[in-house]
Amino acid sequence: MSPFVLPHAGHAALRRHRLHLPGHVYLVTATTLARQRFFREFAATCEAARCYLDPRVCRGSLLAWVLMPDHGHWLVQVGDDDDLASIMNRLKSATARAYNRQRGRTGALWARAYHERLLRGNDDVRGAARYLIANPVRAGLVERVGDYPFWDAIWVGNPEMR
């Protein structure tokens, strides 16, 4: 076997040796299960989005977010007593429970994996937040960021003014 081949392929094997640094910010993307467009139903998406206001779910670590019809993006700051995997588990679990409760359904909502990228400074964080919240405009869902209801990153200022 080649030394460059992982013996246990798959997302779990890739995550096993990840290192998440306390105090650092990550841009995280996760897709819904089989890219189903769950978050196009307004009332259920509102319920899911309310989870991000719950301090038990976010514990002050959520800097910005956007829920698209078939995926989500988050800017997450890892704390001293938490890790990214735990934060993502809480975010995905809470939104799935709220969405399922509203829709009268059961089962998974999110794909198991997620992608994260370490951000390296305040400018990078601000740029990532602007990119994140402009997603609905790029996807053609709305003409202006402010017209899309499922995001939060007020602290970045108005991205349309640049």
Side-chain angles (χ1 to χ4, degrees):
M1 180 194 294
S2 166
F4 300 106
V5 175
L6 291 174
H8 305 288
H11 296 293
L14 293 173
R15 284 192 306 266
R16 187 173 299 122
H17 301 290
R18 284 182 177 167
L19 175 65
H20 296 115
L21 305 170
H24 286 74
V25 177
Y26 294 84
L27 173 60
V28 184
T29 301
T31 61
T32 57
L33 193 63
R35 296 297 297 237
Q36 294 177 69
R37 296 172 61 84
F38 289 120
F39 298 119
R40 63 180 178 192
E41 199 284 319
F42 188 79
T45 305
C46 285
E47 286 302 310
R50 279 190 189 101
C51 295
Y52 301 142
L53 301 175
D54 186 340
R56 296 169 297 177
V57 173
C58 297
R59 296 184 190 165
S61 60
L62 191 57
L63 303 178
W65 59 270
V66 63
L67 278 179
M68 299 293 287
D70 65 350
H71 67 283
H73 297 284
W74 302 269
L75 276 181
V76 177
Q77 185 167 25
V78 176
D80 291 332
D81 59 345
D82 218 348
D83 61 81
L84 187 58
S86 297
I87 294 167
M88 290 309 300
N89 185 46
R90 286 192 310 270
L91 289 173
K92 289 164 72 173
S93 295
T95 54
R97 280 191 307 273
Y99 181 92
N100 284 344
R101 187 173 43 248
Q102 171 68 25
R103 296 291 293 162
R105 72 179 290 277
T106 60
L109 189 69
W110 295 99
R112 289 183 60 183
Y114 59 86
H115 175 267
E116 91 274 357
R117 183 172 69 89
L118 173 66
L119 302 180
R120 302 202 182 269
N122 289 339
D123 289 338
D124 204 16
V125 170
R126 183 174 297 278
R130 288 177 185 265
Y131 173 82
L132 181 149
I133 62 175
N135 229 302
V137 174
R138 284 192 306 278
L141 298 176
V142 292
E143 289 186 22
R144 297 180 322 110
V145 170
D147 294 339
Y148 193 73
F150 305 116
W151 68 275
D152 188 15
I154 300 301
W155 58 272
V156 301
N158 186 345
E160 297 164 347
M161 297 305 285
R162 269 204 153 172

